[in-house]
Amino acid sequence: MVRIRGLRKAFGEHVVLDGIDFDVLPQQVVVVIGPSGSGKSTFLRCCNGLEVPQGGSVEICGRTLVQDGQMLPEKALNALREEVGMVFQSFNLFPHLSVLDNVTLGPRKLHGLGRKDADALAHDLLKKVGLGHKADAMPGSLSGGQKQRVAIARALAMRPKVMLFDEPTSALDPELVGEVLQVMKMLAAEGMTMMVVTHEMGFAKEVADVVVVMDGGGIIEAGDPQTIFSNPTKERTRSFLQAVLTKQ
């Protein structure tokens, strides 16, 4: 589903990604962990064209998104993005629209879905994320966890083939984290292909098929959760996990 080769990204003189190679298979859940500033979010954002790398290539859903700094034309890029859902740290809901209208906006405007069908789809997805009773609510009345679950429903409304999550729980109060992770676990169990940047080590242990450890703009190791958490091969991984797990 995702094929990355030689990915390189720099901001001025600061190299953020330094020659990354990686593949994501269909229905795989890949969790990306590592210290702050290691390039995790930039890596994810390069996978849907929000950041343009200077070198390397990204193929997603069978199409080349970027090759050696050349992006798809805007029309083709927007079409590809419809197949790649993304959920951010900040929920990015439209505050002047109801929950229902936030979820239906994409299918109506981009897929040409009629109001009745779009509403039916949105109600089904809101029930799926446990918010069927909040369809008429405004975003300002929701908790952070509820807003993030609406954001997930909105992304799912576009019927994506791949879901990208950029630290989706980092802006939430601790007691609200679980409700968002539960929805993500449900999606993983249903076979959604997912790439997740997170500091939630429990989620990585329980749900990931592959855990990717990044540091200094590169992947220092990748493997199944059992190997990464119980027997990492790199000292940097061991020191990072010791620091993070001690805090948690």
Side-chain angles (χ1 to χ4, degrees):
M1 293 296 284
V2 184
R3 178 182 172 89
I4 296 163
R5 293 293 181 270
L7 190 65
R8 186 180 183 279
K9 174 68 180 178
F11 296 102
E13 297 297 315
H14 179 52
V15 177
V16 182
L17 302 175
D18 192 13
I20 290 179
D21 298 325
F22 195 72
D23 293 331
V24 180
L25 302 178
Q27 300 187 326
Q28 209 170 45
V29 178
V30 174
V31 175
V32 184
I33 64 173
S36 297
S38 59
K40 304 184 300 296
S41 291
T42 301
F43 176 41
L44 201 69
R45 290 168 67 88
C46 284
C47 291
N48 75 343
L50 288 176
E51 295 289 353
V52 182
Q54 283 88 5
S57 64
V58 176
E59 296 176 18
I60 192 161
C61 299
R63 285 181 281 176
T64 300
L65 171 66
V66 60
Q67 177 80 47
D68 295 328
Q70 297 298 311
M71 295 288 294
L72 278 173
E74 185 175 359
K75 185 175 181 179
L77 176 60
N78 289 337
L80 181 56
R81 281 179 175 156
E82 291 177 23
E83 299 184 358
V84 184
M86 187 154 186
V87 178
F88 300 89
Q89 298 176 41
S90 53
F91 325 112
N92 294 337
L93 300 180
F94 295 107
H96 63 291
L97 297 180
S98 69
V99 165
L100 185 70
D101 286 340
N102 264 278
V103 178
T104 61
L105 186 63
R108 291 174 58 211
K109 297 294 185 182
L110 298 176
H111 288 175
L113 213 59
R115 182 81 213 202
K116 183 178 178 180
D117 289 339
D119 284 358
L121 172 64
H123 281 296
D124 286 344
L125 289 172
L126 289 170
K127 289 177 184 176
K128 187 184 188 79
V129 300
L131 292 173
H133 61 298
K134 292 291 187 178
D136 295 326
M138 300 301 289
S141 70
L142 304 180
S143 69
Q146 290 172 333
K147 289 177 184 177
Q148 195 61 294
R149 284 186 281 156
V150 173
I152 293 172
R154 181 177 61 181
L156 292 174
M158 298 301 292
R159 305 187 191 279
K161 295 179 180 177
V162 180
M163 284 285 286
L164 309 178
F165 294 87
D166 187 9
E167 298 193 29
T169 61
S170 65
L172 302 180
D173 292 333
E175 65 268 22
L176 302 177
V177 168
E179 62 190 51
V180 175
L181 293 180
Q182 197 59 43
V183 171
M184 294 169 65
K185 290 175 185 177
M186 174 185 64
L187 295 178
E190 292 177 351
M192 175 63 74
T193 304
M194 298 164 59
M195 293 180 67
V196 184
V197 171
T198 186
H199 292 291
E200 298 295 334
M201 298 300 120
F203 175 83
K205 288 180 182 179
E206 182 180 349
V207 180
D209 297 303
V210 177
V211 177
V212 173
V213 186
M214 291 187 66
D215 190 34
I219 294 174
I220 56 176
E221 66 180 302
D224 63 88
Q226 177 68 24
T227 299
I228 295 298
F229 287 99
S230 300
N231 191 29
T233 61
K234 304 293 185 181
E235 175 57 35
R236 183 67 185 98
T237 303
R238 287 193 286 270
S239 63
F240 166 73
L241 289 175
Q242 183 177 18
V244 171
L245 293 175
T246 298
K247 292 179 182 179
Q248 295 186 358

